[in-house]
Amino acid sequence: MAIKNAFYAQSGGVTAVINASACGVIQTARKHPEAIGTVYAGRNGIIGALREELIDTNEESEETIAALMHTPGGAFGSCRYKLKNFTENKREYERLIEVFQAHNIGYFFYNGGGDSQDTAFKVSQLADRMGYPITCIGVPKTVDNDLPFTDCCPGFGSVAKYIATSTLEASLDIKSMCESSTKVFILEVMGRHAGWIAASGGLAGQGEGEPPHVILFPEIPFDRDAFLKRVEHCVENYGYCVVVASEGAQYEDGRFLADAGSKDAFGHTQLGGVAPALANMTKQALGYKYHWAVADYLQRAARHIGSATDVEQAYAVGKAAVEMAIAGKQALMPTIVREQSRPYRWHIGEANLSDVANQEKKMPIHFITDDGFGITQDCRDYLEPLIHGESFPPFENGLPKVAKIQGVLAEKKLKTSFDI
Amino acid sequence: MAIKNAFYAQSGGVTAVINASACGVIQTARKHPEAIGTVYAGRNGIIGALREELIDTNEESEETIAALMHTPGGAFGSCRYKLKNFTENKREYERLIEVFQAHNIGYFFYNGGGDSQDTAFKVSQLADRMGYPITCIGVPKTVDNDLPFTDCCPGFGSVAKYIATSTLEASLDIKSMCESSTKVFILEVMGRHAGWIAASGGLAGQGEGEPPHVILFPEIPFDRDAFLKRVEHCVENYGYCVVVASEGAQYEDGRFLADAGSKDAFGHTQLGGVAPALANMTKQALGYKYHWAVADYLQRAARHIGSATDVEQAYAVGKAAVEMAIAGKQALMPTIVREQSRPYRWHIGEANLSDVANQEKKMPIHFITDDGFGITQDCRDYLEPLIHGESFPPFENGLPKVAKIQGVLAEKKLKTSFDI
């Protein structure tokens, strides 16, 4: 079998463990010199391929590659860029082939979410439509946990652990302040379309009255009156109320709470503020003193409290992707298959990219309590194993140590440049 | 020497390590039965004394007390309540004496910031003015690090470690996204009057161009044009810009950015949003895509990434307070005295409550760079030792284990109740 080089790229919003998948891809490829030559990482994802900006990972030491295991963000750069359809922009695909040919690339590993799996699928079609042989394997990644066919998605477990931990910690804070001060605390979390991350906040408490007292899911239309009634009930009975709100929380008519709320001094709608919107709503209706937090990037970059399970699975899908490619498989994505929850057992499965592309996995309705404000035992049984185990990074001078990629680019072989 | 009981209370905004100070007080008192009988903890701070709601800490097991070392929040409840002056409300002081007498309390340990030290000082005056002998020792606590006479304040080091770590992690995230997506990330941190917490974000980077690129301190009047120019410079030269903004950031005329900015749909001014205000300002002036986060309680409750130095000092001031009291000292607060920064050496000193009360320690101007947007080497030398060492809590099922206080109240001995 002829030795071919590989192209690896990170795509879409990054996570605390996407670099662990990169580590899995690169270390596994290095173990198979009989099949894979150099692994080139796209500088800023697929854009790097189009621009012929290929990071030569052979220039990175074994120590640096190993350090990817505990480095958040996308070490090679990611992008938000979706390839159009063949018919719409054939030129993009022709360019990719030119670049792949010029650098003898026969393997394409694309590390991302739904859109990215769609891109990987389109690239796989190159093989047929344009007669260029290339093996395409998708590597799953998303904090939103909304990819189909896989039981969970690398990146989610660590966010879930961070949100559950932060909810627990902040709840102890407000609980100690509520007698004479703050009564309501609202934590806004990610998840524009699916409530998986918000649900993970529910792991912080269990019994009647334990925080979080209210979880707002994108899957459940927001009912202002029911929400305010619930908050009032909690403050009157427990002394305080902790709310975990998804950024995707929306009204019946589909308006996001984040957009429905406030305007700035110039009259522009202020985006991305479910928490402040809810805080003001509560203050106006009930008069309670409030605090609110918006975790934003902090939650998906929080490698310092990474889930050991998540880190292990992130590495495993990268490793599996390379092994599938070497085995001659095509247009697949490795998946996480759960065997059982207690004790947690899982193995790697596979799904067709054609099936994965552009689908979203929402929360099953039986994971949400009847009142729409909490998670069920089924949901706990699903979530708990995913935050299991602590994968702390090494620290130096009080701060996490991270991989520093040199990012040496392979010499360009094409005369033409390409404008994105 | 007659055995007397002790009263301990937590006051003001809680921290990730205030319970470590409680642990220091209770464990040390238990070692001195010849002087101290029962340690009663005020339920919700000084309010617990006024209401005669005294938590009998003898009812808590050694394991529970030991677990306070890794439990954030105020385990016995805190409060925002400031005793008035003698002349304004003599009744409050008379009530305190009634309660202290009824429970044979001869020691008063008050764990809090400036206001609380003021309260401790006023209570100490009871001894003279009202002929009731009570030994009063303050135990320093504040995330703001704004107490005078002490080199640093327990509670700050852990927030600093969390903010520095989060800034580092989020910076890696946006760095990997900036080529085709988010260009500006703004993290809002606590510190209404002093910029210590914002400064700690500066530990995340060092060399030219390393994030955070902009720090906004309350001590430096906000200059819109200079800020926008700096942000534009960073995006053009480094591809992105990371801003750490103190909630206390304000204009020359003293208006907080948080208040100056936005109004909600009902026309109410939206409080506590420096980050969104800056994000909108940047978007309107420069058009950059942004993300912003508000850490709020998450930062001061983040015991999961506690600074080992901070935890050690928090315990030490609690222990020292009891030892000072037993030694017959009066109206003092233990302080942290820095001997040297590298390697870090410190010991416990003492300050008079009369001097500490109601003073604020701001950032020395030589800790801030000339452009007003960064920290100097002097500031790094000061901050670095305070975030040194990781004090991770034990975890169970993926979440931190925390102390669960039973909170059994001592039987009330007074017939009268007291309205706050």
Side-chain angles (χ1 to χ4, degrees):
Chain A
M1 154 177 190
I3 296 173
K4 292 275 189 179
N5 296 323
F7 176 80
Y8 165 81
Q10 304 178 315
S11 180
V14 294
T15 78
V17 301
I18 186 173
N19 289 331
S21 293
C23 182
V25 167
I26 296 166
Q27 286 185 343
T28 308
R30 285 182 177 187
K31 289 201 184 91
H32 294 280
E34 79 286 357
I36 300 178
T38 300
V39 175
Y40 293 113
R43 185 178 175 194
N44 301 313
I46 196 74
I47 291 175
L50 292 168
R51 289 179 178 162
E52 199 188 1
E53 293 179 343
L54 308 177
I55 296 169
D56 183 347
T57 64
N58 285 341
E59 296 288 332
E60 309 297 337
S61 70
E62 287 195 8
E63 294 65 32
T64 301
I65 298 303
L68 290 173
M69 286 298 284
H70 52 78
T71 302
F76 303 103
S78 185
C79 69
R80 292 203 181 277
Y81 187 84
K82 194 172 178 182
L83 288 186
K84 300 196 178 52
N85 291 323
F86 251 68
T87 46
E88 289 173 75
N89 195 342
K90 192 153 180 284
R91 184 71 195 95
E92 277 185 338
Y93 293 86
E94 289 166 348
R95 172 69 177 184
L96 283 179
I97 290 186
E98 286 165 18
V99 172
F100 290 161
Q101 262 172 335
H103 295 274
N104 191 34
I105 289 168
Y107 301 97
F108 180 81
F109 300 107
Y110 209 42
N111 200 169
D115 283 358
S116 311
Q117 302 309 323
D118 175 62
T119 299
F121 176 62
K122 285 171 177 159
V123 171
S124 73
Q125 295 177 306
L126 286 173
D128 318 327
R129 302 212 192 183
M130 303 180 72
Y132 181 79
I134 184 165
T135 303
C136 298
I137 306 291
V139 184
K141 168 246 63 168
T142 168
V143 294
D144 295 328
N145 200 42
D146 58 0
L147 278 175
F149 304 104
T150 185
D151 177 71
C152 62
C153 190
F156 171 67
S158 293
V159 175
K161 189 181 186 74
Y162 172 87
I163 293 301
T165 298
S166 298
T167 301
L168 172 67
E169 291 177 330
S171 296
L172 290 169
D173 189 310
I174 181 174
K175 185 181 180 188
S176 54
M177 301 304 296
C178 67
E179 174 64 20
S180 58
S181 184
T182 308
K183 300 273 193 276
V184 178
F185 175 72
I186 300 161
L187 172 60
E188 175 176 335
V189 303
M190 287 180 158
R192 196 77 169 161
H193 304 295
W196 295 105
I197 296 177
S200 66
L203 292 174
Q206 294 222 36
E208 155 73 10
E210 282 190 22
H213 308 97
V214 180
I215 302 175
L216 298 180
F217 305 93
E219 290 87 351
I220 307 292
F222 180 73
D223 178 337
R224 183 175 183 278
D225 295 341
F227 168 74
L228 291 172
K229 221 169 135 196
R230 174 73 180 151
V231 170
E232 188 173 30
H233 170 84
C234 293
V235 172
E236 286 183 354
N237 291 273
Y238 317 128
Y240 66 109
C241 182
V242 173
V243 179
V244 176
S246 165
E247 64 180 338
Q250 53 196 273
Y251 291 96
E252 188 88 51
D253 63 10
R255 272 178 314 136
F256 287 113
L257 268 68
D259 304 342
S262 56
K263 291 187 182 300
D264 64 27
F266 305 87
H268 302 83
T269 297
Q270 189 160 317
L271 300 171
V274 178
L278 288 168
N280 285 324
M281 184 187 297
T282 306
K283 175 77 175 176
Q284 288 152 28
L286 304 170
Y288 296 137
K289 186 184 177 191
Y290 60 78
H291 264 256
W292 54 269
V294 177
D296 195 62
Y297 281 172
L298 269 51
Q299 70 201 284
R300 76 181 198 190
R303 182 62 185 83
H304 72 269
I305 181 87
S307 155
T309 303
D310 189 36
V311 172
E312 189 186 343
Q313 293 180 338
Y315 184 90
V317 292
K319 177 171 180 284
V322 172
E323 290 169 345
M324 287 177 181
I326 291 173
K329 299 187 176 183
Q330 172 68 312
L332 297 178
M333 178 188 83
T335 60
I336 307 296
V337 179
R338 182 182 302 223
E339 296 169 10
Q340 61 177 51
S341 294
R342 294 207 173 88
Y344 183 49
R345 285 221 205 83
W346 60 278
H347 66 266
I348 294 289
E350 53 190 52
N352 293 314
L353 290 179
S354 55
D355 300 330
V356 176
N358 300 312
Q359 284 195 44
E360 266 175 357
K361 184 177 70 177
K362 302 214 172 211
M363 293 260 296
I365 203 64
H366 70 281
F367 275 19
I368 301 174
T369 52
D370 295 340
D371 64 8
F373 292 136
I375 59 172
T376 61
Q377 188 56 48
D378 283 354
C379 188
R380 287 179 191 285
D381 295 341
Y382 168 79
L383 291 172
E384 269 169 5
L386 307 184
I387 69 167
H388 194 74
E390 294 67 55
S391 173
F392 298 119
F395 281 73
E396 194 169 49
N397 300 325
L399 286 170
K401 282 180 72 171
V402 296
K404 290 212 163 37
I405 295 291
Q406 298 181 66
V408 178
L409 295 183
E411 200 184 322
K412 293 197 178 190
K413 301 190 173 179
L414 300 178
K415 307 222 166 1
T416 57
S417 66
F418 188 86
D419 296 334
I420 303 301
Chain B
M1 155 177 191
I3 295 174
K4 292 276 190 179
N5 296 323
F7 175 81
Y8 164 81
Q10 303 178 316
S11 180
V14 293
T15 78
V17 301
I18 186 173
N19 289 331
S21 294
C23 182
V25 167
I26 295 166
Q27 286 186 343
T28 308
R30 286 182 176 186
K31 290 201 185 90
H32 294 280
E34 79 285 358
I36 299 177
T38 300
V39 176
Y40 294 112
R43 185 178 175 196
N44 302 312
I46 195 75
I47 292 174
L50 292 168
R51 289 179 178 162
E52 199 187 2
E53 294 178 344
L54 307 178
I55 295 170
D56 183 347
T57 64
N58 285 341
E59 296 288 333
E60 310 296 338
S61 69
E62 286 196 8
E63 294 64 31
T64 301
I65 298 304
L68 290 173
M69 285 299 284
H70 52 77
T71 303
F76 303 103
S78 184
C79 68
R80 292 204 181 276
Y81 187 84
K82 194 172 177 182
L83 288 186
K84 299 196 181 53
N85 291 324
F86 253 68
T87 47
E88 290 173 75
N89 195 342
K90 192 154 180 284
R91 183 73 196 94
E92 278 186 337
Y93 293 87
E94 289 166 348
R95 172 68 177 186
L96 283 179
I97 290 187
E98 286 165 18
V99 172
F100 291 161
Q101 262 173 335
H103 296 273
N104 191 33
I105 289 167
Y107 301 97
F108 179 81
F109 300 108
Y110 209 42
N111 199 168
D115 282 358
S116 311
Q117 301 310 324
D118 175 61
T119 300
F121 176 62
K122 284 170 179 161
V123 171
S124 74
Q125 295 177 306
L126 285 172
D128 319 325
R129 303 214 193 181
M130 302 180 74
Y132 181 78
I134 184 163
T135 302
C136 297
I137 306 291
V139 184
K141 169 248 57 168
T142 168
V143 294
D144 295 328
N145 201 41
D146 58 0
L147 278 176
F149 303 106
T150 184
D151 178 70
C152 62
C153 189
F156 170 67
S158 293
V159 176
K161 189 181 187 75
Y162 173 85
I163 293 301
T165 298
S166 298
T167 301
L168 171 67
E169 291 176 331
S171 296
L172 290 169
D173 189 310
I174 182 174
K175 185 182 179 186
S176 54
M177 301 304 296
C178 68
E179 174 63 21
S180 58
S181 184
T182 308
K183 300 272 192 276
V184 178
F185 176 72
I186 299 160
L187 172 60
E188 175 176 334
V189 303
M190 288 180 156
R192 197 76 170 161
H193 304 295
W196 295 106
I197 296 176
S200 66
L203 292 174
Q206 292 221 38
E208 154 74 10
E210 282 189 22
H213 307 97
V214 180
I215 302 175
L216 299 180
F217 306 93
E219 289 86 350
I220 306 290
F222 178 73
D223 178 337
R224 184 175 182 279
D225 295 340
F227 168 74
L228 291 171
K229 221 168 135 197
R230 174 75 181 152
V231 171
E232 188 172 31
H233 170 84
C234 293
V235 172
E236 286 184 353
N237 291 273
Y238 317 127
Y240 66 110
C241 183
V242 173
V243 179
V244 177
S246 165
E247 64 179 339
Q250 52 196 274
Y251 291 95
E252 187 87 51
D253 63 10
R255 273 177 314 136
F256 287 113
L257 267 69
D259 304 343
S262 55
K263 291 187 182 299
D264 64 28
F266 304 87
H268 302 81
T269 297
Q270 188 160 317
L271 300 171
V274 177
L278 289 167
N280 285 324
M281 184 187 298
T282 306
K283 175 76 175 175
Q284 288 152 27
L286 304 170
Y288 297 136
K289 184 182 178 192
Y290 60 77
H291 264 255
W292 54 268
V294 176
D296 195 62
Y297 281 172
L298 270 51
Q299 69 200 283
R300 75 181 197 189
R303 183 61 185 83
H304 73 269
I305 181 84
S307 155
T309 303
D310 189 36
V311 173
E312 189 186 342
Q313 294 180 337
Y315 184 88
V317 292
K319 177 170 179 283
V322 171
E323 290 169 346
M324 286 178 180
I326 291 172
K329 298 188 176 184
Q330 172 70 310
L332 297 177
M333 178 187 84
T335 60
I336 307 295
V337 179
R338 182 182 301 224
E339 295 168 12
Q340 61 177 52
S341 294
R342 292 206 174 90
Y344 183 51
R345 285 221 205 84
W346 60 278
H347 66 266
I348 295 289
E350 54 189 51
N352 293 315
L353 289 178
S354 55
D355 300 331
V356 176
N358 300 311
Q359 283 196 46
E360 269 175 355
K361 184 177 70 179
K362 302 212 171 212
M363 293 259 296
I365 203 65
H366 71 281
F367 274 19
I368 301 174
T369 52
D370 295 342
D371 64 8
F373 291 136
I375 59 172
T376 61
Q377 188 56 49
D378 283 355
C379 188
R380 286 179 191 285
D381 294 342
Y382 169 77
L383 290 173
E384 271 169 6
L386 307 184
I387 68 167
H388 194 74
E390 293 67 55
S391 173
F392 298 120
F395 281 73
E396 194 169 50
N397 301 323
L399 286 170
K401 283 181 71 171
V402 296
K404 290 211 163 37
I405 295 292
Q406 298 182 66
V408 177
L409 296 183
E411 199 185 320
K412 293 198 178 188
K413 302 190 171 178
L414 300 177
K415 310 227 163 358
T416 56
S417 66
F418 188 86
D419 297 333
I420 301 300

